[in-house]
Amino acid sequence: MEYTFMDIEDLPLDFAKEILKRRGIVKLNPPQSEAIKKGLLEGKRLVVASPTASGKTLIAELGAVSHLKDGGGKVIYVTPLRALTSEKYSTFKEWEPLGIKVGMTSGEYDSEDNYLKNYDVIVTTYEKLDSLWRHRPAWLEEADYFILDELHYLNDPSRGPVVETVAVRAKRKGMLALSATISNFHEISRWLKAEYIATSWRPVKLVEGVIYPAGKYYSVTFKDGTTKKVKGEDPIEAYTMDSISRGGQVLVFRNSRRNAESTAKSLSLKFKESSELREIASEIEEVEDAGSMEKENLSSLVKRGVAYHHAGLSRGLREIIERGFRERKIKVIVATPTLAAGVNLPARTVIIGDIFRYNRKVTGFREEIPVMEYKQMSGRAGRPGFDSEGEAIIVVRDKRNFERIFEKYMSSDVEPIESKLGAENAFYSFLLGTLSSEGEMTRNALRTYVEETLLSDEIIESKFDNGVDWLKDHNFVIEEDVVKLTEFGKRVADIYVNPFTAVTIKDALKGKPTSCELAYLHILAYTPDSPIVGTSNIDETLLYDVDCKMFLEEPTDELELSLYLSALKIAFIIQDWIEEVDEDAILAKYGIGSGDLRNMVESMDWLTYSGYKLAQVMKEEGHEEILRRLNMRVKDGVKEELVELVQIPGIGRKRARQLWNEGIKSLGDVVMEPDKVKRILGEKIGERTIHEAARILSKGNPS
């Protein structure tokens, strides 16, 4: 296939050329050239599908700046993950010399973010944009060009519904959608009223193959029919060492954290330590947001050029590992598949160590990963500027499965994109969000809006009236001539919780006597918006050490019981956290990672806030006060006496406790006793702490 490259001197955007040249770009690649040819710079609605690292972000940048320079309104760039939001924000900041102001927002759902009225390009997540529409800030009316990144997330069961919700609104304005391959592109482009551009071009050639046991060796059959033999104790080690011997770096994907860690440990034994790597290991040992055991384990591996990477690690640890790999110092990362979607981290060789995963909802059930997920992982193969080709190798441990696996992942199209709004919790949330964003409407008008989704007519027919009636039955909406939100329904929409979460909280608290903190944490952790954790790796007797009345009775159904125990585990973890139990002790006691703890804290910070606001609208003052006080403590993990001190930026639970124990118990004390504060915290941190405390006090009374 012949590809066209456009010289940037032929680009009809003179103001953009200097910035592109500064990046070393002298030609636009085939996907970029095709997008311009199809009307990108004139605001044409496009869906662009091309492989990872093929330059889709630059297409978005050129679409955005041309829109703004032509006098258009605000541009909203939407991503499915916060890590991608930060990455794209940094990229767009490079256009600020042209007078384009770039802002970013994510998290904090119960907010209008009015400061964003001052920005031209706003980078955010799908969830945050959906939340903003529900609040209807005036500045958002100015947004008339939406860039929907990673559109294939429509197929993700958890994130797909909100991606579709945003797309339904965005397709009414100017729009550019970016994606990996879409097999049913005619349907999707027709739905979005856009023209479809598809290309298989990538900057580094991709070589794909399947490795399987063959006697004393492991044999690799590549997509083009060629073969290769490698030798080693197992297929992952064999191909990893082969790639590194040829100057490559390797990303290995395993289907569980345990497998990722054990594989990394095994591979590390093949390498020697170096002074360069000891420096990275020292950085790991100094990370503040991670547990001691995690740092010790990772440090010992990194000294040999190997690391593991998964959501159980803290952000600080993940960032050091990623930087070390980009700088080509770390040679091998063994990761869970979340890395494939969330971080731009190419490698010469990608090894998919497991083509199946366990379904957490069906105990013990194994399922093969979708072709799309394989494409996400294999898309990381090949480092532009370093490699002439990248390799993606699937491991098959039983030769009997070779032909079927080869046919499925080497030859099949990715799965068609289908709506994930059909699940009840997603559909009811969509109805609620639509009424919050659009205002009251007749039942027929609401149905017309639903018909703009990807849902089939049959599903809409079966779900629509039931959905509206369910919202009425649970006091989210009332219907006279029009359907409109109740005060309770509007509050649920604003705080951005699932309607089933709101019902769980309402049913548990309404008219009930108050209870202990653990009971509130448990009910919140039992809602659909809470993470789910495994309980098999700790002594379950820990989970029954309850000395107060819980809001929920223990269920007899096996699935419900597992959710109940998961919620209890989270409740105990957060209770220990707000009682200032040492973080290392929490991680060891409950068998979790620092990243898990941060995720739980973030979720429970939001859920305690949501519970407090729902109790407020329900006029349950006793529950409201307990939840308000809990919310003040969860984010920083402190007893109530430290709430005021941890408002100071840079003062966490440990430093706040140091100050308190020395008699510095308020912001006023910090300002009035500067010498004492500097003695406790050190000159530099103390000076900054005093300045920040004074700034907070100058704005009014501390909360």
Side-chain angles (χ1 to χ4, degrees):
M1 184 176 188
E2 191 172 329
Y3 294 110
T4 302
F5 292 80
M6 176 187 285
D7 195 300
I8 66 162
E9 293 302 331
D10 297 329
L11 185 68
L13 291 177
D14 289 336
F15 57 82
K17 292 176 183 176
E18 190 59 39
I19 290 175
L20 297 181
K21 288 176 182 175
R22 208 177 297 153
R23 293 184 186 175
I25 297 172
V26 294
K27 288 183 181 293
L28 297 181
N29 68 31
Q32 296 157 355
S33 303
E34 183 70 8
I36 288 171
K37 180 182 174 183
K38 291 288 180 66
L40 172 73
L41 306 184
E42 290 77 50
K44 182 94 176 199
R45 302 163 61 81
L46 300 173
V47 177
V48 180
S50 64
T52 301
S54 60
K56 293 192 288 290
T57 301
L58 183 56
I59 294 173
E61 294 172 72
L62 295 175
V65 297
S66 60
H67 172 80
L68 292 169
K69 289 298 182 181
D70 286 344
K74 295 183 187 300
V75 174
I76 310 287
Y77 190 110
V78 204
T79 80
L81 302 168
R82 288 190 192 180
L84 289 175
T85 300
S86 299
E87 187 181 303
K88 304 306 179 185
Y89 170 73
S90 298
T91 301
F92 271 91
K93 290 283 282 184
E94 294 179 24
W95 295 92
E96 288 195 330
L98 300 182
I100 294 170
K101 294 181 179 177
V102 182
M104 176 176 70
T105 182
S106 62
E108 182 52 56
Y109 295 123
D110 193 15
S111 167
E112 295 185 4
D113 287 7
N114 283 321
Y115 69 93
L116 292 172
K117 67 185 178 185
N118 301 314
Y119 294 94
D120 305 302
V121 177
I122 295 152
V123 187
T124 188
T125 60
Y126 283 98
E127 286 84 359
K128 178 62 179 179
L129 179 55
D130 187 24
S131 167
L132 284 168
W133 265 322
R134 294 178 182 208
H135 284 84
R136 291 191 265 182
W139 64 263
L140 195 48
E141 292 297 316
E142 300 173 38
D144 57 0
Y145 191 75
F146 293 87
I147 300 168
L148 309 183
D149 200 2
E150 309 279 358
L151 186 71
H152 50 271
Y153 266 83
L154 279 164
N155 252 12
D156 184 271
S158 59
R159 286 195 163 92
V162 73
V163 175
E164 187 170 348
T165 298
V166 167
V168 166
R169 293 180 64 84
K171 69 178 183 172
R172 298 176 167 194
K173 305 281 183 80
M175 189 206 67
L176 169 66
L178 308 171
S179 180
T181 303
I182 299 173
S183 59
N184 55 332
F185 63 87
H186 290 299
E187 179 187 358
I188 298 303
S189 54
R190 187 167 55 248
W191 173 59
L192 293 174
K193 303 180 178 70
E195 185 165 350
Y196 184 77
I197 297 172
T199 173
S200 58
W201 182 89
R202 65 193 317 272
V204 180
K205 177 186 175 184
L206 179 62
V207 176
E208 300 171 87
V210 177
I211 187 170
Y212 56 91
K216 295 180 180 179
Y217 293 85
Y218 291 97
S219 184
V220 187
T221 298
F222 294 101
K223 189 174 180 179
D224 64 2
T226 60
T227 61
K228 176 179 180 174
K229 287 187 175 180
V230 291
K231 193 171 185 179
E233 293 177 16
D234 68 57
I236 292 175
E237 179 221 299
Y239 210 90
T240 295
M241 301 311 295
D242 178 78
S243 177
I244 287 175
S245 72
R246 292 180 280 118
Q249 283 176 285
V250 182
L251 272 178
V252 180
F253 289 107
R254 298 302 314 265
N255 62 359
S256 73
R257 296 179 187 181
R258 182 178 298 174
N259 284 339
E261 292 180 16
S262 63
T263 300
K265 186 175 182 180
S266 176
L267 287 171
S268 73
L269 301 177
K270 302 293 178 182
F271 301 94
K272 295 180 180 179
E273 295 184 12
S274 73
S275 56
E276 186 178 56
L277 291 165
R278 288 190 198 103
E279 289 178 16
I280 303 175
S282 295
E283 278 189 74
I284 284 173
E285 289 161 7
E286 297 301 318
V287 168
E288 291 188 2
D289 67 346
S292 300
M293 189 61 70
E294 289 173 325
K295 292 189 285 189
E296 185 180 324
N297 290 341
L298 262 177
S299 173
S300 65
L301 298 179
V302 166
K303 287 174 185 174
R304 296 171 176 268
V306 179
Y308 55 83
H309 186 296
H310 55 62
L313 296 181
S314 72
R315 183 176 289 116
L317 290 176
R318 294 198 303 266
E319 287 173 353
I320 292 172
I321 292 164
E322 291 159 16
R323 188 178 74 245
F325 195 77
R326 288 193 185 99
E327 293 173 352
R328 305 184 71 198
K329 295 173 183 175
I330 294 175
K331 297 300 182 187
V332 184
I333 291 180
V334 189
T336 51
T338 50
L339 178 66
V343 182
N344 181 20
L345 209 65
R348 159 83 65 81
T349 302
V350 169
I351 299 174
I352 295 91
D354 309 281
I355 213 65
F356 66 88
R357 63 183 169 207
Y358 289 98
N359 187 323
R360 294 185 66 180
K361 294 182 179 179
V362 185
T363 305
F365 179 69
R366 292 197 332 173
E367 57 188 7
E368 287 183 358
I369 65 171
V371 176
M372 176 62 82
E373 192 168 317
Y374 162 71
K375 295 288 187 185
Q376 283 283 103
M377 292 188 279
S378 64
R380 299 296 170 198
R383 302 163 300 181
F386 292 107
D387 300 322
S388 59
E389 63 182 31
E391 304 168 314
I393 307 297
I394 294 173
V395 175
V396 172
R397 290 175 174 80
D398 185 339
K399 189 181 177 182
R400 288 175 299 177
N401 292 321
F402 163 73
E403 288 187 9
R404 182 180 58 79
I405 295 296
F406 189 93
E407 178 66 25
K408 177 176 179 177
Y409 294 101
M410 300 294 108
S411 306
S412 302
D413 286 335
V414 298
E415 297 77 13
I417 286 176
E418 297 174 340
S419 178
K420 294 296 183 282
L421 275 174
E424 283 186 339
N425 59 355
F427 188 72
Y428 298 170
S429 189
F430 177 78
L431 294 176
L432 192 70
T434 300
L435 290 165
S436 183
S437 304
E438 299 293 319
E440 61 188 44
M441 57 178 75
T442 65
R443 187 178 278 234
N444 284 340
L446 180 58
R447 178 170 178 138
T448 299
Y449 200 97
V450 173
E451 288 168 353
E452 292 190 37
T453 69
L454 265 173
L455 287 169
S456 67
D457 292 341
E458 292 78 13
I459 291 177
I460 293 172
E461 183 65 36
S462 67
K463 289 190 176 294
F464 178 74
D465 286 326
N466 288 340
V468 176
D469 291 342
W470 186 90
L471 292 175
K472 284 168 59 179
D473 292 343
H474 290 87
N475 194 37
F476 290 99
V477 303
I478 56 174
E479 183 177 19
E480 293 163 353
D481 295 330
V482 294
V483 182
K484 61 182 179 181
L485 296 177
T486 60
E487 184 185 5
F488 178 74
K490 178 58 179 166
R491 202 71 197 95
V492 172
D494 283 350
I495 58 180
Y496 205 68
V497 292
N498 188 283
F500 284 93
T501 290
V503 169
T504 300
I505 294 170
K506 183 177 72 170
D507 289 349
L509 303 184
K510 189 71 177 173
K512 306 281 179 60
T514 59
S515 189
C516 65
E517 292 171 344
L518 186 72
Y520 291 92
L521 294 172
H522 180 237
I523 191 65
L524 296 172
Y526 190 70
T527 65
D529 283 308
S530 171
I532 298 172
V533 296
T535 57
S536 59
N537 59 344
I538 67 166
D539 181 354
E540 285 193 10
T541 58
L542 282 173
L543 301 182
Y544 290 99
D545 187 19
V546 179
D547 58 3
C548 68
K549 174 66 175 171
M550 305 300 280
F551 292 114
L552 289 176
E553 296 295 328
E554 184 176 317
T556 54
D557 176 80
E558 187 176 342
L559 178 58
E560 289 300 316
L561 179 60
S562 70
L563 295 173
Y564 180 93
L565 292 176
S566 166
L568 256 184
K569 181 176 177 179
I570 292 172
F572 275 113
I573 289 169
I574 298 300
Q575 184 178 57
D576 282 356
W577 172 248
I578 63 177
E579 287 299 316
E580 299 179 38
V581 174
D582 180 74
E583 184 170 332
D584 279 342
I586 294 175
L587 302 186
K589 180 179 178 182
Y590 297 103
I592 59 172
S594 53
D596 299 317
L597 179 58
R598 296 287 174 272
N599 181 38
M600 289 179 210
V601 168
E602 190 174 293
S603 296
M604 294 303 286
D605 180 34
W606 170 41
L607 285 168
T608 49
Y609 174 83
S610 300
Y612 151 52
K613 288 298 180 181
L614 291 180
Q616 191 175 56
V617 80
M618 288 157 53
K619 305 291 191 294
E620 291 284 345
E621 294 178 3
H623 297 308
E624 176 191 344
E625 179 59 17
I626 293 171
L627 285 161
R628 183 186 72 83
R629 294 160 87 97
L630 265 178
N631 178 244
M632 291 167 65
R633 299 168 58 194
V634 168
K635 183 178 180 181
D636 295 287
V638 293
K639 295 179 180 178
E640 197 165 335
E641 64 210 37
L642 297 187
V643 166
E644 185 173 331
L645 288 175
V646 292
Q647 291 181 73
I648 305 171
I651 299 299
R653 64 205 306 246
K654 291 182 180 178
R655 286 176 179 155
R657 181 53 63 192
Q658 279 182 286
L659 290 169
W660 178 275
N661 289 343
E662 294 281 350
I664 304 294
K665 301 187 175 184
S666 68
L667 295 174
D669 291 343
V670 171
V671 174
M672 295 301 292
E673 298 194 59
D675 292 339
K676 193 172 183 180
V677 170
K678 291 177 189 175
R679 176 177 61 78
I680 298 167
L681 300 179
E683 188 73 27
K684 189 175 179 181
I685 295 173
E687 189 66 49
R688 187 173 68 234
T689 299
I690 295 158
H691 172 77
E692 291 290 351
R695 181 183 60 79
I696 295 168
L697 284 171
S698 71
K699 289 184 174 182
N701 293 327
S703 61

